[in-house]
Amino acid sequence: MTDETLSNLLTETRTFEPPAELAAHANVKADAYAAAAADHEGFWAEQAQRLTWAEPFTQILDDSSAPFYRWFADGTLNVAYNCVDRHVAAGTGDQVAIHFVGEPGDRRDITYAQLKDEVSRAANALTDLGVTAGDRVAIYLPMIPEAVVSMLACARIGATHTVVFGGFSAEALASRIEDCNAKLVITADGGYRRGSASALKPAVDAALEKVPGVAQHVLVVRRTGQEVAWHDGVDVWWHDAVDGASADHTPEAFTAEHPLFVMYSSGTTGKPKGILHTSGGYLTGTAYTHHAVFDLKPESDVYWCTADVGWITGHSYIVYGPLANGVTQVLYEGTPDSPHKGRWWEIIQDYKVTLFYTAPTAIRTFMKWGRSVPDGYDMSSLRLLGSVGEPINPEAYVWYRSVVGGDRCPVVDTWWQTETGMMMISPLPGVTAGKPGSAMTPLPGVDADVVSEDGVPVPNGSGGYLVLTKPWPAMLRTLLGDDDRFVETYWSKYADQGWYFAGDGAKKDDDGAIWLLGRVDDVMNVSGHRLSTTEIESALVSHPRVAEAAVVGASDETTGQAVVAYVILREGIDGVDGDALVQELRNHVATEIGAIAKPRSIMIVPELPKTRSGKIMRRLLKDVAENRTVGDTTTLADRSIMAALSAQAPRPV
Ligand code: 6R9
């Protein structure tokens, strides 16, 4: 973030008080902060009572081998039972759990009773395919109900799932299947995206060829009906295996620390990190925050989170938190502009959505399309709006509040991470006044601070690094197979204090409210998705023409940041068709990682700016990418390089 944006942010003075009606009936009132501060562990033990435990826990937090914390460790539960069966047992089996809206217009309502049957059938089918507790299952599906069912079926039998976003390439899928040693892959023939059927199964076939001998079976949902290559003995149709299976399945209880899922996320090195979450603490944290931050009234609210289940937001706030709370929610398969730009607003109107959760990048896109689109729909059902994934700029916040929320709905800007599992810094809608651009204060039971390089909390009005100063139940437990990297990445910077280092810059305003300022490491945030500069650099360098590559995140009006790459060619530029090569390199990144990682622009350069010790100075490349006067170049080994680079305008593609 530039200094200019930073000062813009800090001169933002608008505040919006909680609506009186919401405040009067809010699920969580101001006293929760004091209660949690007085007894941190007691507070979370109380929240854990939202769940149904098979065997109650006797110990709350085990910090004996910190930072490998354990929560509720001697308690046992079944996560799927908590998300589905117990609602049926409580008599709300006829309530709709999922209003599914397919992109082509097909719709399906699934009640909790039906969801219980479907999850049970899938659990039996998985067992028949040889999956047992402790095994790993990779899920590579579009946003269809089977994605939710698959996750819950894994949870039900104690298998650990890893959901790989459908936009990722075969290469990325293969590395995840291999890294977590997935025994089964669940996929579909394809899904609908932007008005056409796009294939998924071929990527699974290609992935399995790259890592032979890992997955034993591929379970395939028929979604689009497109032709698929078939491998007898390996491939199994979902409708054959699941539809015919018994709907009777007794959920087994697992310990609270039983691994629930692994979510891969970009880190600062080329290799994605397998972030491991477990059961009891994770479900407690997501259920509580979903109840508190959305002020959820399960009997009357209709909730919609537009994230994909392939990301943590989909895990925590489509599947686990909301279903544990017995929500009725919308699940939408497609894109916001298919078949028309009012699709989302139409869905809100049709289902009378009351609670809506989306990302700033989507809001900025809608701003570009103009308010006349949402103005054409009746969205008076909405009562609360949420934002997640990246800092929301004040203008987008105000537009969201006014155009979508009719100036009556509070906006909750929720800061959290794949690693935190649950929302950490956010307003409570009935308590906290909202300031456009600020995530405000840590939630009850969460302890965060903004500190200097050497670990001193900064005074109000100053900036520093965001840290989490106490363990929380939904925290990641480790990085799969790499405890050292877990300790090194999150716990080494402030090891003396025992604080979790989030990797985000932040500022406290004069009232102590927290403003997030973006990543402080080499991780970019493109449309709310985390991408690692190093990962894209290594994808570029894997192309035979590329000798060296440097990637930076440049600010972008719509996507927050955009990928800008600089490459040095192996045999120089002579005789090269630059435009064709740039196109080829962009496609190469899409093949290696996925379309979301495609650079917005690639500059072919003769040299990269480096320090004398050989470190690429990305800060300077960012200046060029953002058309700024290049900053301090005194540490450069060769200062003439920057003049040459600046003279070369980014190649538009
Ligand atoms: C949930 C999710 C985490 C990173 C995080 C931060 C950024 C997320 C934010 C936000 C400012 C918010 N981030 N929410 N920044 N305000 N409300 O997005 O997880 O994909 O792991 O990304 O996203 O930089 O460190 P994940």
Side-chain angles (χ1 to χ4, degrees), residues 312 389-391 413-418 504 516 519 525 530:
I312 190 68
E390 54 178 316
D413 175 12
T414 62
W415 177 89
W416 58 292
Q417 309 177 299
T418 305
D504 276 18
L516 278 308
R519 302 287 307 181
N525 190 322
R530 267 159 77 173

Side-chain angles (χ1 to χ4, degrees), residues 118-146:
E118 188 69 1
V119 171
S120 300
R121 277 194 283 265
N124 281 321
L126 261 50
T127 306
D128 289 346
L129 288 170
V131 181
T132 57
D135 284 345
R136 274 123 199 191
V137 174
I139 300 176
Y140 187 64
L141 281 171
M143 278 288 286
I144 55 177
E146 286 80 357

